[in-house]
Amino acid sequence: MSFPICMRGLAALSLCLAGAVSAQEYHAGNPIAVPGDGAWDYASVDSAARRLYVAHGNEVSVVDLTSGKPLPALGPVAKGHAVVPLAAGELAVTSGDDATVRFFDTKANRQIATLAVGKKPDAAVVDPATGHLLSVNAVSGTISEIDPQAHRVVRTISVVPGLEFAAISGRTLFINNEDRNEIEVVDLDKGVTGAPIKLTGCEEPSGLALDAVHGRLISACANGTAAVTDVASRRLSQLVAIGHGPDAVILDAARSLAFIPAGKDGVLDVLDLSDAKKVTHKAAIRTGVGARTGALDPLTGAIYLPTAKLAPAAAGARPRVVPGSFHVLVVKPS
């Protein structure tokens, strides 16, 4: 077995594993140095194009996954949040500071459309049934439904402010609400909201993923908890201890695992989803403070975690990024 292991990567960040995830073994790959010093948010993998995209300040960082080297960035955006690969080589980016969603031609490396949406667009997901992009507008508390082919907003659904990441099961959209500690429920056919799901014991839920095989949602909570919700009954069924300060839930359906990067504690928690009745915490990977989002490459099972070396913060302020230290940590199955 590969556990426990301890390796050192860029900026002297250590990666240590304790415990085992069934027979699956993981190891640390070489960190990828990426230009740029801005703050970062969501990441996504376009497995067909073999590219990793990271919302990174006022641009989108791009990494060629075949060579492991950075490519020219896409931009500009006004504080990017979500990066969503679309058909025909396009990328949608939520631009939080100017309330827009921007579309880029990734082959030509240029912006091709800009749409006005609600205030502070943050997360964004694609509706599998329609192919439409759903922009989650956190401050305005709305969902902008966008036809990505026409680059046009076709509908706006009113929910409530405080919206974070979203997941879709059938024709229902579930959205974490970090202000209310609950999951908002939206009927996508009718465009109306239903009764929210209370997440008692979960504070400031951000990341969210659907375990479609077992019909359950996994919310990452800021207070060191993952909340498991049963989709059918729409009730909280379980709380699982994780690290503090997460901002994403990365689902690997092929391996029945969920990964939660907790940026405050600097760990990547591994949850075993193989049991239909219970989610089990199986391992904690030491990554480093700041690694709070990430993306999975479904072809290889590799997990990519953007982060940087952080300088001490002044009282009441956020830590500062050390110039030239931004990079992507890589965790790979053996």
Side-chain angles (χ1 to χ4, degrees):
M1 295 293 290
S2 294
F3 307 144
I5 64 172
C6 190
M7 301 180 67
R8 294 208 168 265
L10 193 65
L13 292 175
S14 65
L15 188 154
C16 303
L17 235 65
V21 183
S22 301
Q24 183 66 59
E25 301 175 6
Y26 283 81
H27 67 278
N30 293 326
I32 303 169
V34 179
D37 295 324
W40 59 94
D41 205 344
Y42 296 120
S44 63
V45 167
D46 185 334
S47 58
R50 307 307 303 142
R51 288 186 174 185
L52 168 72
Y53 298 103
V54 182
H56 188 193
N58 293 327
E59 62 185 20
V60 177
S61 294
V62 185
V63 175
D64 183 331
L65 295 182
T66 300
S67 66
K69 296 181 179 180
L71 298 173
L74 295 168
V77 294
K79 194 174 184 182
H81 289 284
V83 283
V84 184
L86 302 170
E90 290 189 17
L91 183 78
V93 183
T94 56
S95 185
D97 282 359
D98 65 354
T100 65
V101 173
R102 305 189 186 193
F103 294 84
F104 293 86
D105 182 331
T106 60
K107 296 178 181 177
N109 202 41
R110 64 183 181 89
Q111 183 176 307
I112 54 177
T114 302
L115 300 179
V117 292
K119 190 173 182 180
K120 197 192 173 186
D122 193 348
V125 295
V126 173
D127 181 353
T130 63
H132 288 177
L133 180 74
L134 304 178
S135 171
V136 180
N137 310 314
V139 172
S140 64
T142 60
I143 305 296
S144 297
E145 181 175 350
I146 299 168
D147 180 340
Q149 294 185 328
H151 299 134
R152 181 172 64 92
V153 176
V154 298
R155 179 173 61 163
T156 299
I157 303 172
S158 295
V159 191
V160 289
L163 304 179
E164 271 286 335
F165 208 79
I168 298 174
S169 177
R171 300 303 299 140
T172 304
L173 177 70
F174 298 95
I175 320 159
N176 275 337
N177 190 313
E178 66 175 346
D179 293 343
R180 300 187 177 203
N181 300 335
E182 64 188 24
I183 296 176
E184 308 302 337
V185 179
V186 178
D187 183 321
L188 289 174
D189 285 330
K190 298 178 180 179
V192 298
T193 59
I197 303 168
K198 294 296 183 181
L199 298 180
T200 305
C202 167
E203 297 177 8
E204 299 180 22
S206 55
L208 180 68
L210 171 69
D211 175 11
V213 173
H214 301 108
R216 56 196 175 195
L217 296 161
I218 301 170
S219 300
C221 314
N223 61 322
T225 297
V228 182
T229 301
D230 180 71
V231 170
S233 66
R234 297 187 182 179
R235 291 183 178 180
L236 176 67
S237 62
Q238 185 183 354
L239 296 175
V240 182
I242 59 170
H244 290 77
D247 205 15
V249 180
I250 306 166
L251 194 79
D252 187 344
R255 295 169 177 81
S256 295
L257 297 173
F259 299 86
I260 302 181
K264 186 174 182 179
D265 287 346
V267 297
L268 177 66
D269 288 287
V270 185
L271 306 185
D272 188 343
L273 309 179
S274 60
D275 189 330
K277 296 182 179 180
K278 184 179 181 181
V279 173
T280 305
H281 185 279
K282 300 298 291 186
I285 302 171
R286 178 64 59 184
T287 53
V289 174
R292 58 184 177 79
T293 66
L296 170 83
D297 180 1
L299 289 183
T300 65
I303 303 149
Y304 296 92
L305 306 165
T307 189
K309 186 176 180 180
L310 301 177
R318 291 185 174 185
R320 294 179 295 104
V321 175
V322 175
S325 71
F326 184 68
H327 60 285
V328 176
L329 296 173
V330 185
V331 179
K332 297 181 177 181
S334 300

